Amino acid sequence: MQQHKYQIKISWKKLAASLLSVLSITSPQAQTQEQIQAPKLIIGITIDQLRGDYLQYCLQSFGNKGFKRLLNEGAVYRQVKYDYPEISSASSFATIFTGTNPYYHGITGNKKFDWDKQREVSILYDPEFLGNYTSETFSPKNLMSSTIADELKVASGGRSLVFAIAPEAEQAIISGGHAANAAFWIENYNGKWATSTYYKDIPWYVERYNSTESLAYTIDQSSWQPASNTYGAFPYTQGINTFHYTFFSKDKYLQFKTSPLVNKEVTKLAGRFFQYADFGTRTYPSMLLLTYYAGNYKDATNKEFSYEIQDTYYRLDKEIEELLSLAEKHVGLKNTLVYISSTGYFEQGEINKDVLPPAGKFYPERCTALLNMYLMSVYGQGNWVLGFYQNQIFLNHKLIEDKQIPLGEIQRKAAEFTIQFSGVQDVATLTETLYGNWNENVARFRNGSYKSITGDIILELQPGWILSNEQDSSQNKQLRSNPIISPLIFFGHNVKPQIISSPVKATQIAPTITHVLRIRPPNAAKELPLEEFILP
């Protein structure tokens, strides 16, 4: 009997030891589970034309609570690559938020040309929806893939809050996607925060802002002068250390949106959402998607190494500082994931014939006229070429169908003729990008095209050549092919400070965000999340 009691005691000791062993194992696991909980708020900041090199050059003028804080405490990817040519603000936004290229998401540029009506329209033009505070008619209908925000709405049963704020309509709508509560942009003709009737949730505090504080009431008292006198990022500024711009022209709101003052307007409206939208208190994560501008000022006399661009980055740093302060105060940075991405672009330089003479001029109208004459000599009389738009030649599909000519055949003949023009580096046909022979350049053309929007012939012009607009010489640009460093920064919720030097793809951003949110990636995303966010 005593032996039996002894055995029971031994068993309880073994059980206790086993429990302690289990607890010692499961405790770190529980901690890991806590670490990978979804954040309460995602703040997605897309900075149009943010340059990593300018960020580095201007760093000495920044404070300690803006970009410097992000760079010191965040995960910094030095270079994000886009896998297609002719990058635009709209196409890069769509790529960031869908995790795929234009070939799938359908946004090939900011605008497209309506050949029937002979006019340029927004890529998001949709006459089925009216505008609030605008006469423009937009919707996300032409965005063919789901976005980060769409997938969050699906996962939460529509309960997550998603709001987008941007200077331009395309930026706001694409980032907000199909399911956002609302997307707001600054209207070009009245300066108010506009939206589309496609969206149904217009907060009262935006209405009040429009009625009392919008640019419609403040722009005439606004002016842009240097915010500091300590800029020294560029030794090429030629001693020009002051400027003073006011906004009184008929296009004053368009002009204003290319100044850094527009970023303060975005932050001010974002502040109303932090104040009233109960971010951080909901069961499901919310998203606030903001767009800032870091490009050249429309009316700046010097757009290379300018004092204006240094002031733009200095002021942008202050807006980032204010935004982080708002997030810390209202939600807490440990509950917030902040990420900053850039639209990225390849330079198109201003013409400076005195220093660097152009290699030559390419005249699109002459090219299309000669191509039409050639096609008439082959296929007979007719208007075979509709025109040239965004480095693409559009053929007359109705005439081609009426004449029963195989589309691939006439595209190929047009390409063989066009490649002979001086200044044309390479061409590809739309049929070729969809079904034809494969090489690296054709793959890039394919990634940047969409079947119902892209022209029949896609051209690549040689660097140094001027794309010459005979009707408007102010549009002439000397072509360059220098890639610009486009950074990606994550900060806040469980982000470990680190610097990643190897290039990453823009299409990896969306699946990384959805991975952190613990939801499905957008439906056309094919990349895995960035490996630094995947637990071992």
Side-chain angles (χ1 to χ4, degrees), residues 269-317:
L269 187 62
R272 301 301 185 273
F273 282 89
F274 277 105
Q275 187 175 0
Y276 298 115
D278 67 2
F279 290 148
T281 65
R282 292 173 166 252
T283 304
Y284 300 97
S286 299
M287 292 193 77
L288 182 62
L289 305 168
L290 307 176
T291 301
Y292 289 129
Y293 179 71
N296 286 315
Y297 181 57
K298 179 176 178 289
D299 292 341
T301 54
N302 179 18
K303 291 184 172 64
E304 292 285 336
F305 317 112
S306 68
Y307 212 63
E308 286 91 334
I309 202 68
Q310 294 176 77
D311 191 68
T312 294
Y313 275 72
Y314 178 85
R315 290 174 179 271
L316 181 58
D317 179 63

Short mmCIF file of all heavy atoms in Angstrom, two decimals, residues 269-317:
data_model
loop_
_atom_site.label_atom_id
_atom_site.label_comp_id
_atom_site.label_asym_id
_atom_site.label_seq_id
_atom_site.Cartn_x
_atom_site.Cartn_y
_atom_site.Cartn_z
N LEU A 269 -6.64 67.31 -43.47
CA LEU A 269 -7.85 66.50 -43.58
C LEU A 269 -7.67 65.16 -42.86
O LEU A 269 -8.59 64.67 -42.21
CB LEU A 269 -8.23 66.28 -45.04
CG LEU A 269 -9.59 65.59 -45.24
CD1 LEU A 269 -10.72 66.44 -44.67
CD2 LEU A 269 -9.85 65.29 -46.71
N ALA A 270 -6.47 64.58 -42.97
CA ALA A 270 -6.20 63.33 -42.25
C ALA A 270 -6.39 63.53 -40.75
O ALA A 270 -6.89 62.63 -40.05
CB ALA A 270 -4.79 62.85 -42.54
N GLY A 271 -6.03 64.71 -40.25
CA GLY A 271 -6.21 65.01 -38.83
C GLY A 271 -7.66 64.93 -38.40
O GLY A 271 -7.96 64.51 -37.27
N ARG A 272 -8.58 65.31 -39.28
CA ARG A 272 -10.00 65.21 -38.94
C ARG A 272 -10.42 63.76 -38.79
O ARG A 272 -11.25 63.42 -37.93
CB ARG A 272 -10.85 65.89 -40.02
CG ARG A 272 -10.56 67.35 -40.24
CD ARG A 272 -10.76 68.17 -38.97
NE ARG A 272 -10.58 69.59 -39.20
CZ ARG A 272 -9.42 70.23 -39.17
NH1 ARG A 272 -8.30 69.57 -38.91
NH2 ARG A 272 -9.35 71.53 -39.39
N PHE A 273 -9.86 62.87 -39.60
CA PHE A 273 -10.19 61.45 -39.49
C PHE A 273 -9.65 60.87 -38.19
O PHE A 273 -10.31 60.06 -37.54
CB PHE A 273 -9.66 60.69 -40.70
CG PHE A 273 -10.50 60.86 -41.93
CD1 PHE A 273 -10.27 61.89 -42.82
CD2 PHE A 273 -11.55 59.99 -42.19
CE1 PHE A 273 -11.07 62.06 -43.95
CE2 PHE A 273 -12.36 60.14 -43.30
CZ PHE A 273 -12.11 61.18 -44.19
N PHE A 274 -8.44 61.27 -37.80
CA PHE A 274 -7.92 60.81 -36.51
C PHE A 274 -8.79 61.31 -35.36
O PHE A 274 -8.97 60.61 -34.37
CB PHE A 274 -6.48 61.30 -36.33
CG PHE A 274 -5.45 60.45 -36.99
CD1 PHE A 274 -4.83 60.86 -38.16
CD2 PHE A 274 -5.10 59.22 -36.45
CE1 PHE A 274 -3.88 60.07 -38.78
CE2 PHE A 274 -4.15 58.42 -37.06
CZ PHE A 274 -3.54 58.84 -38.23
N GLN A 275 -9.34 62.50 -35.51
CA GLN A 275 -10.13 63.10 -34.45
C GLN A 275 -11.51 62.47 -34.32
O GLN A 275 -12.01 62.27 -33.20
CB GLN A 275 -10.26 64.61 -34.71
CG GLN A 275 -10.93 65.39 -33.59
CD GLN A 275 -10.91 66.88 -33.86
OE1 GLN A 275 -10.40 67.35 -34.90
NE2 GLN A 275 -11.47 67.65 -32.94
N TYR A 276 -12.12 62.12 -35.45
CA TYR A 276 -13.53 61.73 -35.42
C TYR A 276 -13.83 60.29 -35.87
O TYR A 276 -14.94 59.81 -35.62
CB TYR A 276 -14.34 62.68 -36.30
CG TYR A 276 -14.30 64.12 -35.85
CD1 TYR A 276 -13.69 65.09 -36.65
CD2 TYR A 276 -14.86 64.51 -34.64
CE1 TYR A 276 -13.65 66.43 -36.26
CE2 TYR A 276 -14.81 65.85 -34.23
CZ TYR A 276 -14.21 66.80 -35.04
OH TYR A 276 -14.18 68.11 -34.63
N ALA A 277 -12.91 59.62 -36.55
CA ALA A 277 -13.26 58.34 -37.19
C ALA A 277 -13.05 57.12 -36.30
O ALA A 277 -13.11 56.00 -36.78
CB ALA A 277 -12.46 58.17 -38.48
N ASP A 278 -12.78 57.29 -35.04
CA ASP A 278 -12.55 56.23 -34.05
C ASP A 278 -11.60 55.14 -34.52
O ASP A 278 -11.83 53.95 -34.29
CB ASP A 278 -13.87 55.65 -33.52
CG ASP A 278 -14.70 54.86 -34.53
OD1 ASP A 278 -14.29 54.69 -35.68
OD2 ASP A 278 -15.78 54.38 -34.13
N PHE A 279 -10.53 55.54 -35.21
CA PHE A 279 -9.48 54.58 -35.56
C PHE A 279 -8.91 53.96 -34.28
O PHE A 279 -8.70 54.63 -33.28
CB PHE A 279 -8.33 55.27 -36.31
CG PHE A 279 -8.68 55.73 -37.69
CD1 PHE A 279 -8.09 56.88 -38.23
CD2 PHE A 279 -9.58 55.03 -38.48
CE1 PHE A 279 -8.39 57.30 -39.52
CE2 PHE A 279 -9.89 55.44 -39.77
CZ PHE A 279 -9.29 56.58 -40.28
N GLY A 280 -8.64 52.70 -34.34
CA GLY A 280 -8.00 52.02 -33.22
C GLY A 280 -8.95 51.47 -32.17
O GLY A 280 -8.52 50.73 -31.28
N THR A 281 -10.22 51.81 -32.25
CA THR A 281 -11.19 51.33 -31.25
C THR A 281 -12.07 50.21 -31.79
O THR A 281 -12.88 49.66 -31.04
CB THR A 281 -12.08 52.49 -30.78
OG1 THR A 281 -12.87 52.95 -31.89
CG2 THR A 281 -11.25 53.63 -30.23
N ARG A 282 -11.94 49.88 -33.05
CA ARG A 282 -12.82 48.89 -33.67
C ARG A 282 -12.24 47.49 -33.56
O ARG A 282 -11.04 47.30 -33.38
CB ARG A 282 -13.03 49.25 -35.14
CG ARG A 282 -13.85 50.53 -35.32
CD ARG A 282 -13.92 50.95 -36.77
NE ARG A 282 -14.97 51.97 -36.93
CZ ARG A 282 -16.14 51.76 -37.52
NH1 ARG A 282 -16.40 50.58 -38.05
NH2 ARG A 282 -17.04 52.72 -37.61
N THR A 283 -13.12 46.51 -33.70
CA THR A 283 -12.69 45.11 -33.66
C THR A 283 -11.79 44.78 -34.84
O THR A 283 -10.84 44.01 -34.72
CB THR A 283 -13.92 44.17 -33.66
OG1 THR A 283 -14.77 44.52 -32.57
CG2 THR A 283 -13.50 42.72 -33.56
N TYR A 284 -12.09 45.39 -35.98
CA TYR A 284 -11.35 45.08 -37.21
C TYR A 284 -10.40 46.23 -37.56
O TYR A 284 -10.68 47.39 -37.25
CB TYR A 284 -12.33 44.85 -38.37
CG TYR A 284 -13.29 43.72 -38.12
CD1 TYR A 284 -14.57 43.96 -37.64
CD2 TYR A 284 -12.90 42.40 -38.35
CE1 TYR A 284 -15.45 42.91 -37.40
CE2 TYR A 284 -13.77 41.34 -38.11
CZ TYR A 284 -15.05 41.61 -37.64
OH TYR A 284 -15.90 40.56 -37.39
N PRO A 285 -9.28 45.92 -38.22
CA PRO A 285 -8.33 46.97 -38.60
C PRO A 285 -8.96 47.99 -39.56
O PRO A 285 -9.87 47.66 -40.33
CB PRO A 285 -7.20 46.20 -39.29
CG PRO A 285 -7.34 44.79 -38.84
CD PRO A 285 -8.80 44.58 -38.61
N SER A 286 -8.46 49.21 -39.50
CA SER A 286 -8.86 50.26 -40.43
C SER A 286 -7.68 50.66 -41.29
O SER A 286 -6.52 50.35 -40.97
CB SER A 286 -9.37 51.49 -39.65
OG SER A 286 -10.49 51.16 -38.87
N MET A 287 -7.97 51.35 -42.39
CA MET A 287 -6.91 51.83 -43.29
C MET A 287 -7.13 53.30 -43.60
O MET A 287 -8.24 53.72 -43.94
CB MET A 287 -6.89 51.05 -44.61
CG MET A 287 -6.48 49.61 -44.49
SD MET A 287 -6.12 48.86 -46.12
CE MET A 287 -4.49 49.53 -46.44
N LEU A 288 -6.05 54.08 -43.50
CA LEU A 288 -6.03 55.46 -43.94
C LEU A 288 -4.94 55.57 -44.99
O LEU A 288 -3.77 55.37 -44.70
CB LEU A 288 -5.76 56.42 -42.77
CG LEU A 288 -5.77 57.91 -43.10
CD1 LEU A 288 -7.14 58.35 -43.63
CD2 LEU A 288 -5.37 58.73 -41.89
N LEU A 289 -5.34 55.86 -46.22
CA LEU A 289 -4.42 55.84 -47.36
C LEU A 289 -4.21 57.26 -47.85
O LEU A 289 -5.14 57.91 -48.33
CB LEU A 289 -5.00 54.94 -48.46
CG LEU A 289 -5.33 53.52 -47.97
CD1 LEU A 289 -6.17 52.78 -48.99
CD2 LEU A 289 -4.06 52.75 -47.66
N LEU A 290 -2.98 57.74 -47.73
CA LEU A 290 -2.66 59.13 -48.01
C LEU A 290 -1.66 59.24 -49.16
O LEU A 290 -0.78 58.38 -49.31
CB LEU A 290 -2.06 59.81 -46.77
CG LEU A 290 -2.87 59.70 -45.47
CD1 LEU A 290 -2.10 60.33 -44.33
CD2 LEU A 290 -4.24 60.34 -45.63
N THR A 291 -1.79 60.31 -49.92
CA THR A 291 -0.85 60.58 -51.00
C THR A 291 -0.23 61.95 -50.79
O THR A 291 -0.94 62.94 -50.59
CB THR A 291 -1.55 60.56 -52.37
OG1 THR A 291 -2.15 59.27 -52.57
CG2 THR A 291 -0.54 60.81 -53.49
N TYR A 292 1.10 62.00 -50.85
CA TYR A 292 1.83 63.26 -50.80
C TYR A 292 2.55 63.47 -52.13
O TYR A 292 2.69 62.53 -52.94
CB TYR A 292 2.85 63.26 -49.66
CG TYR A 292 2.24 63.35 -48.28
CD1 TYR A 292 2.60 62.43 -47.29
CD2 TYR A 292 1.34 64.34 -47.95
CE1 TYR A 292 2.07 62.51 -46.01
CE2 TYR A 292 0.80 64.43 -46.68
CZ TYR A 292 1.17 63.51 -45.71
OH TYR A 292 0.63 63.60 -44.45
N TYR A 293 3.02 64.69 -52.34
CA TYR A 293 3.67 65.04 -53.61
C TYR A 293 5.10 65.50 -53.35
O TYR A 293 5.34 66.34 -52.47
CB TYR A 293 2.89 66.15 -54.30
CG TYR A 293 3.50 66.61 -55.62
CD1 TYR A 293 3.45 65.79 -56.74
CD2 TYR A 293 4.12 67.85 -55.74
CE1 TYR A 293 4.01 66.18 -57.94
CE2 TYR A 293 4.68 68.25 -56.94
CZ TYR A 293 4.62 67.42 -58.04
OH TYR A 293 5.17 67.82 -59.23
N ALA A 294 6.05 64.96 -54.11
CA ALA A 294 7.45 65.33 -53.95
C ALA A 294 8.09 65.65 -55.30
O ALA A 294 9.32 65.56 -55.44
CB ALA A 294 8.23 64.20 -53.26
N GLY A 295 7.27 66.02 -56.28
CA GLY A 295 7.81 66.33 -57.61
C GLY A 295 8.13 67.80 -57.78
O GLY A 295 8.09 68.60 -56.84
N ASN A 296 8.43 68.17 -59.01
CA ASN A 296 8.80 69.55 -59.32
C ASN A 296 7.57 70.46 -59.36
O ASN A 296 6.47 70.03 -59.70
CB ASN A 296 9.52 69.61 -60.67
CG ASN A 296 10.93 69.08 -60.59
OD1 ASN A 296 11.67 69.41 -59.67
ND2 ASN A 296 11.31 68.25 -61.54
N TYR A 297 7.81 71.70 -59.03
CA TYR A 297 6.75 72.70 -59.09
C TYR A 297 6.49 73.09 -60.54
O TYR A 297 7.42 73.29 -61.32
CB TYR A 297 7.16 73.92 -58.27
CG TYR A 297 6.14 75.03 -58.23
CD1 TYR A 297 4.85 74.79 -57.77
CD2 TYR A 297 6.47 76.32 -58.63
CE1 TYR A 297 3.91 75.81 -57.71
CE2 TYR A 297 5.54 77.35 -58.57
CZ TYR A 297 4.27 77.08 -58.10
OH TYR A 297 3.34 78.10 -58.06
N LYS A 298 5.23 73.20 -60.89
CA LYS A 298 4.83 73.45 -62.27
C LYS A 298 5.49 74.69 -62.87
O LYS A 298 5.95 74.68 -64.00
CB LYS A 298 3.31 73.59 -62.33
CG LYS A 298 2.72 73.88 -63.71
CD LYS A 298 1.19 73.90 -63.64
CE LYS A 298 0.58 74.25 -64.99
NZ LYS A 298 0.79 75.67 -65.33
N ASP A 299 5.56 75.78 -62.11
CA ASP A 299 6.06 77.04 -62.64
C ASP A 299 7.49 77.37 -62.21
O ASP A 299 7.94 78.51 -62.35
CB ASP A 299 5.14 78.19 -62.22
CG ASP A 299 3.78 78.10 -62.91
OD1 ASP A 299 3.70 77.40 -63.93
OD2 ASP A 299 2.82 78.70 -62.41
N ALA A 300 8.21 76.40 -61.68
CA ALA A 300 9.60 76.65 -61.28
C ALA A 300 10.46 76.89 -62.51
O ALA A 300 10.35 76.17 -63.51
CB ALA A 300 10.14 75.48 -60.48
N THR A 301 11.31 77.90 -62.45
CA THR A 301 12.17 78.20 -63.60
C THR A 301 13.30 77.20 -63.72
O THR A 301 13.77 76.92 -64.82
CB THR A 301 12.76 79.62 -63.46
OG1 THR A 301 13.41 79.72 -62.19
CG2 THR A 301 11.65 80.66 -63.52
N ASN A 302 13.73 76.64 -62.60
CA ASN A 302 14.81 75.67 -62.61
C ASN A 302 14.34 74.39 -61.95
O ASN A 302 14.05 74.37 -60.76
CB ASN A 302 16.04 76.22 -61.87
CG ASN A 302 17.18 75.22 -61.85
OD1 ASN A 302 17.21 74.28 -62.63
ND2 ASN A 302 18.13 75.43 -60.96
N LYS A 303 14.22 73.32 -62.72
CA LYS A 303 13.70 72.07 -62.19
C LYS A 303 14.79 71.06 -61.88
O LYS A 303 14.53 69.96 -61.42
CB LYS A 303 12.68 71.46 -63.17
CG LYS A 303 11.38 72.26 -63.28
CD LYS A 303 10.39 71.55 -64.18
CE LYS A 303 9.02 72.23 -64.14
NZ LYS A 303 9.02 73.58 -64.67
N GLU A 304 16.04 71.40 -62.15
CA GLU A 304 17.16 70.51 -61.86
C GLU A 304 17.92 71.05 -60.66
O GLU A 304 18.38 72.20 -60.66
CB GLU A 304 18.09 70.42 -63.08
CG GLU A 304 17.47 69.71 -64.28
CD GLU A 304 17.39 68.22 -64.10
OE1 GLU A 304 18.17 67.67 -63.31
OE2 GLU A 304 16.53 67.59 -64.74
N PHE A 305 18.08 70.26 -59.61
CA PHE A 305 18.87 70.63 -58.43
C PHE A 305 18.40 71.95 -57.83
O PHE A 305 19.19 72.78 -57.42
CB PHE A 305 20.36 70.73 -58.79
CG PHE A 305 20.87 69.64 -59.67
CD1 PHE A 305 21.26 69.89 -60.97
CD2 PHE A 305 20.93 68.34 -59.21
CE1 PHE A 305 21.72 68.88 -61.78
CE2 PHE A 305 21.38 67.31 -60.02
CZ PHE A 305 21.79 67.59 -61.31
N SER A 306 17.09 72.15 -57.78
CA SER A 306 16.56 73.47 -57.44
C SER A 306 16.44 73.68 -55.93
O SER A 306 16.38 72.73 -55.15
CB SER A 306 15.19 73.66 -58.09
OG SER A 306 14.25 72.80 -57.49
N TYR A 307 16.38 74.94 -55.54
CA TYR A 307 16.10 75.31 -54.16
C TYR A 307 14.67 74.90 -53.79
O TYR A 307 14.39 74.52 -52.66
CB TYR A 307 16.28 76.82 -54.01
CG TYR A 307 16.77 77.23 -52.65
CD1 TYR A 307 18.01 76.82 -52.17
CD2 TYR A 307 16.00 78.05 -51.83
CE1 TYR A 307 18.47 77.20 -50.92
CE2 TYR A 307 16.44 78.43 -50.58
CZ TYR A 307 17.68 78.00 -50.12
OH TYR A 307 18.12 78.39 -48.88
N GLU A 308 13.78 74.96 -54.78
CA GLU A 308 12.39 74.59 -54.55
C GLU A 308 12.26 73.12 -54.14
O GLU A 308 11.49 72.78 -53.24
CB GLU A 308 11.54 74.85 -55.80
CG GLU A 308 11.25 76.30 -56.07
CD GLU A 308 12.30 76.96 -56.97
OE1 GLU A 308 13.45 76.48 -56.99
OE2 GLU A 308 11.96 77.93 -57.65
N ILE A 309 12.99 72.23 -54.80
CA ILE A 309 12.85 70.81 -54.49
C ILE A 309 13.41 70.51 -53.10
O ILE A 309 12.91 69.64 -52.38
CB ILE A 309 13.51 69.93 -55.58
CG1 ILE A 309 12.91 68.50 -55.54
CG2 ILE A 309 15.02 69.85 -55.41
CD1 ILE A 309 11.49 68.43 -55.97
N GLN A 310 14.43 71.24 -52.68
CA GLN A 310 14.95 71.06 -51.32
C GLN A 310 13.93 71.51 -50.29
O GLN A 310 13.75 70.87 -49.25
CB GLN A 310 16.25 71.86 -51.16
CG GLN A 310 17.39 71.34 -52.04
CD GLN A 310 18.63 72.19 -51.92
OE1 GLN A 310 19.37 72.10 -50.94
NE2 GLN A 310 18.88 73.03 -52.91
N ASP A 311 13.23 72.61 -50.58
CA ASP A 311 12.19 73.07 -49.67
C ASP A 311 11.02 72.09 -49.64
O ASP A 311 10.40 71.88 -48.59
CB ASP A 311 11.70 74.46 -50.11
CG ASP A 311 10.83 75.12 -49.06
OD1 ASP A 311 11.36 75.46 -47.98
OD2 ASP A 311 9.62 75.28 -49.30
N THR A 312 10.72 71.48 -50.78
CA THR A 312 9.66 70.46 -50.86
C THR A 312 9.96 69.30 -49.91
O THR A 312 9.08 68.86 -49.16
CB THR A 312 9.50 69.95 -52.30
OG1 THR A 312 9.02 71.02 -53.12
CG2 THR A 312 8.55 68.78 -52.37
N TYR A 313 11.19 68.82 -49.92
CA TYR A 313 11.55 67.70 -49.06
C TYR A 313 11.61 68.11 -47.60
O TYR A 313 11.22 67.34 -46.71
CB TYR A 313 12.89 67.09 -49.51
CG TYR A 313 12.71 66.08 -50.62
CD1 TYR A 313 12.37 66.48 -51.91
CD2 TYR A 313 12.84 64.72 -50.39
CE1 TYR A 313 12.18 65.57 -52.93
CE2 TYR A 313 12.66 63.78 -51.39
CZ TYR A 313 12.32 64.22 -52.67
OH TYR A 313 12.13 63.30 -53.67
N TYR A 314 12.06 69.32 -47.32
CA TYR A 314 12.08 69.83 -45.96
C TYR A 314 10.66 69.89 -45.39
O TYR A 314 10.40 69.45 -44.26
CB TYR A 314 12.72 71.22 -45.95
CG TYR A 314 12.76 71.88 -44.59
CD1 TYR A 314 13.80 71.63 -43.70
CD2 TYR A 314 11.75 72.77 -44.20
CE1 TYR A 314 13.84 72.24 -42.45
CE2 TYR A 314 11.78 73.38 -42.96
CZ TYR A 314 12.82 73.11 -42.09
OH TYR A 314 12.86 73.72 -40.86
N ARG A 315 9.73 70.42 -46.17
CA ARG A 315 8.34 70.53 -45.72
C ARG A 315 7.68 69.15 -45.63
O ARG A 315 6.86 68.91 -44.74
CB ARG A 315 7.56 71.43 -46.69
CG ARG A 315 7.95 72.91 -46.61
CD ARG A 315 7.24 73.69 -47.69
NE ARG A 315 7.55 75.10 -47.65
CZ ARG A 315 6.89 76.02 -46.95
NH1 ARG A 315 5.85 75.65 -46.21
NH2 ARG A 315 7.24 77.29 -46.98
N LEU A 316 8.03 68.26 -46.54
CA LEU A 316 7.47 66.91 -46.50
C LEU A 316 7.87 66.20 -45.22
O LEU A 316 7.08 65.47 -44.61
CB LEU A 316 7.93 66.13 -47.73
CG LEU A 316 7.44 64.69 -47.88
CD1 LEU A 316 5.92 64.64 -47.91
CD2 LEU A 316 8.01 64.06 -49.15
N ASP A 317 9.10 66.41 -44.78
CA ASP A 317 9.57 65.83 -43.52
C ASP A 317 8.71 66.29 -42.36
O ASP A 317 8.38 65.51 -41.45
CB ASP A 317 11.03 66.22 -43.30
CG ASP A 317 11.59 65.68 -41.99
OD1 ASP A 317 11.65 64.45 -41.84
OD2 ASP A 317 11.94 66.51 -41.11
#
